[in-house]
Amino acid sequence: MALEFPAARVDQDSGFTLHGTWYDDPYAWMEDLDSPETQAWIDAQEAVSHGVLRELPGRDRLRAEVARATRHDRVSPPAKAGPNGREFRWQAGAADDKIKLMMRPDREASYQVVLDPNTWPNEEALVFAKPSPDGRFVAFGKSMRNTHDALIRVLDIASGELLPDRPRGTAHESLAWLPDSTGFFYAAEPDPADAEAGNAVYEHRLHVAEPARRVFGDDQGKDYWCVVKVSECGRFAVLTMWDFVHSNVVYLLRLTDRELIPVAPEMRSLNQVQVIGDRLLIHTDLDAPRGRACLATLDRPTEWHSLIPEKTDILQTVSGIGGRIYAVYSAKASHHVHIHSEDGSHLRELELPALGSVNYNTGEGVASGVTGSWSGDEVWVRFTSYVQPESYYRYDFATDALTPYHVPDVGLDPSDYETSQAWYESADGTPVSMFVVHRKGLPRDGDRPVRLSGYGGFGISAAPVFFPLNAAWLKLGGVFGHANVRGGGDYGREWHEAAIKTKRQNAFDDFIAAARWLVSSGYTRRERLASRGNSNGGLLVAVTALQAPEAFGAVFCRAPTLDMLRFPRFGHLGSATVEYGSPDDPVEGAYLAAYSPYQNVRADRDYPVMAFVPALNDRLAPPYDPLKMAARMQAENHVGGPYLLLPLRDSGHGGGTTLSAQVDQDTDELAFYCWALGVAPA
């Protein structure tokens, strides 16, 4: 695998002193991504990587398999807005690169296009779209070259014209209309001129020249982010401020007089609040690390009374629908739905199609995949698994029947594959679970190509979910494993907090033990095992490859943070010190220095083949970290590798802005595994 990489300039004088120790940073100049020198080096590195991955024999088959699993009809459940049963939904055909917002005036009519981002330039993405309650307008967020930093525009549906409204602030998100459709609330970062202000919720009025009014925010916690919803009854806005994903506060804004009413005023737990009639339905982990549901009255909103007590399984969400409570639990890292009466009595468990997931992670925390209105009787259930794409079902309580509404055809028969859950011991003896997926009857001959993924951070759960790349990998005869390592939320707050700050090594040990278990259990050997991580998972796979290079044959490190001594300087990552610890703290800084990948490259270690994959328009992780890491690995280690740089263009933290870009990226990733692990795709 000898490859000729372009050399990077080494600045011997570049570096910094932290707690009395000098740390060199010879590639700091790459942090200027727009400089001609950086751009030329990226282009040259990309040419080497593409020369390997795009010339791989059998690549056409890889692309075909990825495209088959990616390009399919996509349809969301309908949402009513406006008179005479007007409905909106998201929809896309197999040929569409971007999903469209559709509308029909009533259930007898056909859906017509309201917003079609396929007519926009490729680099422009439709991030969200919210119809007004009267169905006349759509407020939508458009971003450039990524799916963050959206700016709001408002469309008049009847005329097809954009309103001149320009809501204040930047990075608009989490929008909720006023009940009378005269304006909306939205969350945003302050304009650059408001340097002293933090993130906030604003109220924007249509056709009004005055700037939007700030109604909620905290100038002291500048890295907090906000979320806003308007209650079904139209009397309140529910306002939430998050300290990353560790805790939040919740207030009600009474719309008649704009009075702020505290519900969870202290930043010490995770809380979700829904107004149901004259009461509040509250999901919280306050005094219940595995979650519980509470009720409060509107006249005493801070006096909570338990409705569904804490149990062994993790209560992730509760939703009041049709006069009943739908509780979604994570039980052994997969989801189960239990239905309760209004007084909390257990009625039944809703039977799901298979082992999989219902809820999903968003910028607003964990969102319930069971949706509907408190006053209505229609219940929608979202479901996905490792072998079934995101699907939607109608649930009828009277008959206890789950009826398919949209189950996409991706060319993969779930009955041909099996998903098992294994338990193994980490370095300190802690039992850790891992899902293992493969074709039924696949021999456990110690030579299967295996992809192992993990995340292990920020309390984020990683229940079974479908990815087109996984589908293509399984059809090639590969095995997929996902380890539910500590630091994630799969087993509640205690599982999360077992790997934060100076306990983060637990997550790394859990992941290394997963790789070794796959070998000792006869699935594979080290040379045929690849680890894959994105974002915090990218940090996970980089650290574990450097700490235990003998456990992995290849590593795909996507959109990571790799310099743990400098991460607070980037964007809003300063708030991530609540998770990682602070480099400025003498104890936490020393701990970070001991595992930070960029500071721990050793010349004499036989590291696995690695691909460092920056999203060049990333707004959540430093896009220059993978550049600096690849340059250092290539220059300072000649025993292992090779070490590729695979830049993602017109992509943000979550991927490409079009399906075509996503297919290209997934095909490159799949080609990397085949090349590094010796899999013949032809």
Side-chain angles (χ1 to χ4, degrees), residues 446-464:
D447 198 41
R448 298 297 96 198
V450 173
R451 292 176 56 245
L452 173 64
S453 71
Y455 190 79
F458 300 97
I460 292 176
S461 301

Side-chain angles (χ1 to χ4, degrees), residues 230-492:
V230 170
S231 63
E232 179 184 327
C233 63
R235 292 176 292 166
F236 302 96
V238 182
L239 306 169
T240 308
M241 183 184 298
W242 293 79
D243 181 9
F244 229 80
V245 291
H246 282 242
S247 57
N248 61 22
V249 297
V250 183
Y251 286 77
L252 300 181
L253 180 71
R254 190 163 53 212
L255 298 187
T256 54
D257 57 8
R258 297 305 194 264
E259 181 182 350
L260 271 177
I261 302 168
V263 178
E266 297 181 25
M267 197 74 78
R268 60 192 181 116
S269 58
L270 291 169
N271 315 284
Q272 297 276 9
V273 176
Q274 178 187 357
V275 181
I276 55 172
D278 290 325
R279 292 178 296 172
L280 301 175
L281 175 63
I282 302 160
H283 171 262
T284 184
D285 65 1
L286 180 66
D287 302 323
R290 293 185 296 278
R292 63 185 171 118
C294 300
L295 283 178
T297 59
L298 285 170
D299 58 344
R300 288 188 170 93
T302 58
E303 297 179 13
W304 303 355
H305 306 282
S306 283
L307 178 71
I308 303 172
E310 183 182 30
K311 299 178 181 178
T312 302
D313 296 331
I314 309 305
L315 180 60
Q316 281 199 338
T317 58
V318 291
S319 303
I321 305 172
R324 302 180 186 89
I325 311 300
Y326 289 78
V328 181
Y329 286 88
S330 176
K332 297 181 180 178
S334 64
H335 292 167
H336 299 255
V337 180
H338 291 261
I339 307 172
H340 297 257
S341 65
E342 193 172 348
D343 66 4
S345 302
H346 186 268
L347 298 175
R348 68 171 71 122
E349 181 176 357
L350 190 159
E351 185 177 353
L352 296 173
L355 183 150
S357 60
V358 172
N359 290 347
Y360 54 101
N361 297 302
T362 73
E364 302 181 3
V366 178
S368 178
V370 185
T371 55
S373 64
W374 178 248
S375 58
D377 57 5
E378 198 165 53
V379 181
W380 295 98
V381 178
R382 171 192 178 274
F383 177 81
T384 183
S385 74
Y386 290 123
V387 291
Q388 179 176 330
E390 183 177 76
S391 307
Y392 291 96
Y393 298 80
R394 283 191 179 96
Y395 177 68
D396 184 86
F397 181 82
T399 61
D400 192 25
L402 202 63
T403 304
Y405 172 74
H406 182 67
V407 180
D409 174 14
V410 294
L412 190 75
D413 186 347
S415 65
D416 290 339
Y417 300 88
E418 62 179 86
T419 300
S420 60
Q421 189 174 44
W423 290 83
Y424 62 91
E425 282 193 1
S426 190
D428 62 357
T430 299
V432 183
S433 67
M434 172 168 51
F435 290 110
V436 182
V437 190
H438 55 77
R439 186 182 293 276
K440 288 180 178 177
L442 195 73
R444 197 184 294 192
D445 58 5
D447 198 41
R448 298 297 96 198
V450 173
R451 292 176 56 245
L452 173 64
S453 71
Y455 190 79
F458 300 97
I460 292 176
S461 301
V465 64
F466 180 86
F467 288 105
L469 188 144
N470 284 349
W473 179 249
L474 292 171
K475 290 176 76 172
L476 288 172
V479 175
F480 172 72
H482 182 88
N484 303 108
V485 303
R486 281 173 284 183
D490 312 272
Y491 296 100

